[in-house]
Amino acid sequence: MASSTLALTLTATTTTSYSSFPITKHAFSYPRINFFSSNNRAFSVSASASASSSSRSLQALIFDCDGVILESEHLHRQAYNDAFVHFNVRCPSSSSPGPLNWDVQFYDELQNLIGGGKPKMRWYFKEHGWPSSTLFETPPTSDEDRAKLIDTLQDWKTERYKEIIKSGTVKPRPGVLRLMDEAKDAGKKLAVCSAATKSSVILCLENLIGIERFQGLDCFLAGDDVKEKKPDPSIYLAASKKLGISDKDCLVVEDSVIGLQAATQAGMSCVVTYTPSTADQDFKEAIALYPDLSNVRYDDMLQNGFNDFFSEEVM
C-alpha cells in the first residue's frame, strides 16, 4: 500500500453533526482528518487502490502486541524506570539528582521512534552519555561492558514487566479477542508479531488472550526472532514466509507509525487502532484508522475485500 494512491470517501446514513480535528504535535504536522458524527450510525470508508493491488484476497490477519492487544506504553515505562532505580542508573548529562527517569512525554516520543527495548536504551545512552550504575561504578567504555549493561537492564526490566502483567490488573483492548475469534472461525490464519522480547510477549498473550487462543496461533514471532526491529519489515516478512502466504494477502493491525512502516515496507496492508500516545502520528499509509476495535466487525473489515471496503461504527 505504500506506493498506492488511496481515495477515501466517507458516507453516512444520517448525519447529525460535523467536526474537523487538526492533528499536530511538537514540530511535526499531520493531515487533518474529518469525521461525521451521529449516534450509532455506520460509516463506510471506501478505498480505491492501484490496479496492481486490486487482486489481493485476505488469507491472514496479523496483530502487533503492545499497543494493539494491550495498551502497554505506561507499563513498559514503569518497568524501565524501576530498573533504572534498582541499578541506580545515572547519565552524566542529567541534571536530576536521582536515577534516570523517562517521563510520559519523552517515552511517548521514544517508543514511537525506536522499536525494541535494547535499541531504545542504546540510542538513549549514545545521545546522553553512558551511565554509571551499581553494575559499573564508572560509565562503561568497551562494547562488551556496554552490551552487558544493556542486557542486564533489559532482563531485569522484563521480569518487572512480567510482575505487572501477572498482577491481574491488565486487560486486552476492546474488540481484539472477538476479531481474533471471528478470523479463526472464517478459516483465516492468525498471527502475532511483536518487537518485544519473546518471554514478555508469551506472558502477555497467555494472560490477555488466554492459553487456548495463544496455542491456536498459526504464527508467533517476537523481537528475538529477527535481527532488525520495526520499522524494519523483517518480522512481517518472516511471518509471511512462516505462514506460507504472500505478503499481499496479509492484513496487519498496528497502533503506531513504526509498526505501520514495517507492515507497508513488507508489502502488507495495515489497519491502525491508535492509542492516546500515537493518535497524532501520520498514518496516511494505513487503509483504515480506528480509536479501538470495539465496534469493528470482521465481516466489515475483511470479507468484503480488504482493499475495497471498510465499515466503521462511530459512537
Side-chain angles (χ1 to χ4, degrees):
M1 294 299 296
S3 61
S4 300
T5 300
L6 300 181
L8 300 181
T9 305
L10 280 72
T11 60
T13 306
T14 303
T15 302
T16 58
S17 64
Y18 171 82
S19 59
S20 178
F21 299 94
I23 297 179
T24 60
K25 183 176 182 180
H26 307 300
F28 301 95
S29 297
Y30 299 96
R32 179 181 295 270
I33 302 176
N34 296 324
F35 294 97
F36 295 90
S37 62
S38 177
N39 290 337
N40 300 313
R41 299 298 180 184
F43 287 74
S44 300
V45 182
S46 62
S48 59
S50 64
S52 63
S53 60
S54 62
S55 62
R56 298 185 177 197
S57 64
L58 179 76
Q59 298 298 320
L61 183 60
I62 305 176
F63 287 83
D64 179 29
C65 184
D66 290 338
V68 173
I69 295 176
L70 76 159
E71 197 167 322
S72 57
E73 292 89 350
H74 64 294
L75 305 179
H76 283 289
R77 187 180 71 87
Q78 177 185 337
Y80 279 118
N81 286 336
D82 289 348
F84 299 150
V85 169
H86 181 79
F87 291 101
N88 196 26
V89 174
R90 296 170 182 264
C91 290
S93 62
S94 175
S95 59
S96 172
L100 175 62
N101 183 282
W102 286 341
D103 63 28
V104 173
Q105 181 179 3
F106 174 78
Y107 190 74
D108 279 351
E109 295 173 350
L110 179 64
Q111 64 96 15
N112 290 318
L113 175 69
I114 300 172
K118 293 181 183 180
K120 282 182 176 67
M121 287 189 287
R122 185 169 291 276
W123 176 88
Y124 185 88
F125 296 147
K126 283 183 177 179
E127 291 292 317
H128 299 273
W130 286 86
S132 61
S133 64
T134 57
L135 295 167
F136 296 97
E137 185 175 346
T138 59
T141 56
S142 70
D143 290 342
E144 182 180 358
D145 286 345
R146 288 175 174 179
K148 180 181 178 180
L149 171 66
I150 288 179
D151 288 347
T152 303
L153 289 172
Q154 183 65 36
D155 289 345
W156 196 95
K157 175 265 175 183
T158 298
E159 293 304 311
R160 175 63 182 130
Y161 182 74
K162 289 179 181 179
E163 292 176 359
I164 298 172
I165 296 297
K166 288 178 180 178
S167 68
T169 61
V170 184
K171 305 297 180 183
R173 292 189 69 193
V176 170
L177 302 186
R178 174 180 45 75
L179 276 178
M180 286 185 167
D181 292 343
E182 289 176 356
K184 291 294 285 187
D185 290 344
K188 305 304 180 182
K189 292 190 175 182
L190 195 64
V192 171
C193 293
S194 172
T197 57
K198 186 179 290 288
S199 59
S200 66
V201 181
I202 289 175
L203 182 75
C204 287
L205 295 178
E206 288 180 344
N207 281 270
L208 294 173
I209 73 173
I211 293 177
E212 184 176 350
R213 285 191 187 88
F214 175 54
Q215 293 178 342
L217 293 175
D218 298 288
C219 174
F220 161 62
L221 294 174
D224 315 57
D225 297 311
V226 291
K227 293 182 178 180
E228 301 295 332
K229 309 293 186 184
K230 300 175 186 178
D232 187 274
S234 297
I235 196 165
Y236 287 125
L237 293 173
S240 174
K241 184 176 181 179
K242 188 171 182 179
L243 289 167
I245 293 175
S246 171
D247 50 37
K248 68 183 180 64
D249 294 326
C250 298
L251 177 61
V252 175
V253 183
E254 275 282 0
D255 72 298
S256 70
V257 70
I258 285 180
L260 172 62
Q261 290 170 349
T264 54
Q265 289 181 56
M268 300 178 181
S269 296
C270 184
V271 166
V272 169
T273 170
Y274 51 84
T275 66
S277 68
T278 65
D280 50 4
Q281 294 182 3
D282 185 353
F283 294 124
K284 63 178 179 292
E285 292 186 344
I287 58 176
L289 297 177
Y290 302 104
D292 61 51
L293 301 174
S294 57
N295 292 313
V296 181
R297 307 301 304 185
Y298 172 83
D299 287 346
D300 296 336
M301 290 178 63
L302 312 174
Q303 286 185 331
N304 291 320
F306 69 102
N307 277 315
D308 300 318
F309 178 82
F310 290 87
S311 177
E312 180 178 358
E313 290 288 336
V314 178
M315 300 299 292

